[in-house]
Amino acid sequence: MSSRLMTHATRLCACLAAGLAGCNSVQNQTLNAEGVALYRQGAYPQAAQKFQEAIAKRPDLGDGYYNLAAALHQSGVRHNRPDDLRQAEDLYNQALDRSPNHAECYRGLAVLLNETDRRDAAFRLLNNWAIASPQNPDPKIEIARLLEESQRPEEAETQLVQAITIDPNNARALAALGRLRDEAGDHMQALQNYQRSLAVNRFQPQVAARVATLQSAAGSAATLTTGPSGTRLGAAPSVPPPLRY
């Protein structure tokens, strides 16, 4: 074969490989989307099958491993299947090998470790992520969540403040900080945090509902506390506890 024909053949093989990779990427995305839809319906075995097919199409991408881990995680918890939980843990780690900053994967693995009485391991996982990615606010947010679940709200608040220092417009961190302050009874500061979060991402219906609740309570308090002459009329109503989201 002439060098010209060899060059043409090499280019053709490269084009075919690129086309195949592109086709596999589309199929991978489609299968993952179908699996997510089944997962949301609670059909975890069927979802897992879709995620396995997605992994077969693109084994180099982390999302399929994470999705399969999440499905097995749910199945393991709901049906008390230790083998599913062990597989889920392995798959979470495989996902992180391919996507080192996969926030949802870190969250899922930390939850699994916590659920299986390995809270110290969960903290190590998230702290190591924070050290490896010092300019990423997500590790701080996940550490804060774990601290809050461990009944350590002051430390959780410190982590969230650090996350906001890294990214002042992080809607998740602002909403989470608002919730902590809300639960502590600092409703005015919580309201400011919620409003800042909504200014960044207005598609947070639970945060918006909480803002409305706090604003309504503040208005009622002002009306009940003082009348037209400034005299005290009665006690302000208590603010309902914040929703968890």
Side-chain angles (χ1 to χ4, degrees):
M1 182 184 292
S2 70
S3 60
R4 186 174 180 179
L5 286 175
M6 289 178 66
T7 300
H8 176 72
T10 301
R11 288 175 179 170
L12 179 60
C13 288
C15 289
L16 288 172
L20 181 60
C23 180
N24 283 345
S25 293
V26 171
Q27 291 175 334
N28 170 273
Q29 293 171 3
T30 300
L31 288 164
N32 271 316
E34 291 173 354
V36 168
L38 290 165
Y39 177 94
R40 288 173 175 166
Q41 296 168 19
Y44 302 119
Q46 295 89 338
Q49 180 61 41
K50 292 292 183 181
F51 297 142
Q52 288 171 339
E53 294 174 19
I55 291 170
K57 295 296 181 184
R58 288 298 304 269
D60 57 315
L61 299 180
D63 282 345
Y65 295 89
Y66 162 73
N67 289 336
L68 181 55
L72 288 170
H73 187 172
Q74 285 296 322
S75 176
V77 170
R78 288 173 182 261
H79 303 293
N80 191 25
R81 294 174 179 164
D83 286 345
D84 283 359
L85 294 178
R86 282 191 287 269
Q87 290 183 61
E89 183 174 347
D90 182 59
L91 287 159
Y92 279 136
N93 282 303
Q94 289 187 60
L96 290 175
D97 287 341
R98 292 160 175 79
S99 302
N101 278 311
H102 200 303
E104 292 82 3
C105 192
Y106 273 105
R107 183 183 311 132
L109 180 53
V111 168
L112 189 153
L113 291 170
N114 195 33
E115 289 173 342
T116 52
D117 299 322
R118 289 176 288 167
R119 182 167 290 181
D120 288 346
F123 275 117
R124 281 196 302 273
L125 171 76
L126 298 176
N127 283 319
N128 287 339
W129 181 26
I131 292 168
S133 304
Q135 297 306 310
N136 185 349
D138 288 335
K140 304 286 187 185
I141 298 170
E142 297 307 327
I143 292 170
R145 176 183 292 200
L146 191 56
L147 286 166
E148 185 180 358
E149 292 172 355
S150 305
Q151 307 302 315
R152 295 155 67 181
E154 295 84 3
E155 295 174 70
E157 182 172 344
T158 298
Q159 291 290 329
L160 290 171
V161 169
Q162 290 176 3
I164 293 168
T165 300
I166 295 170
D167 180 6
N169 295 317
N170 191 292
R172 282 188 64 217
L174 288 163
L177 184 58
R179 185 184 65 246
L180 277 178
R181 289 171 170 168
D182 206 349
E183 291 177 340
D186 189 354
H187 301 307
M188 292 307 297
Q189 187 60 58
L191 181 59
Q192 292 179 26
N193 293 138
Y194 289 146
Q195 288 172 328
R196 283 183 60 192
S197 179
L198 285 172
V200 177
N201 176 15
R202 60 190 177 89
F203 298 105
Q204 300 181 84
Q206 290 180 304
V207 177
R210 188 60 186 164
V211 166
T213 297
L214 290 175
Q215 287 176 330
S216 176
S220 297
T223 301
L224 287 172
T225 302
T226 57
S229 62
T231 57
R232 186 174 180 82
L233 299 179
S238 61
V239 178
L243 294 173
R244 301 194 70 82
Y245 43 85

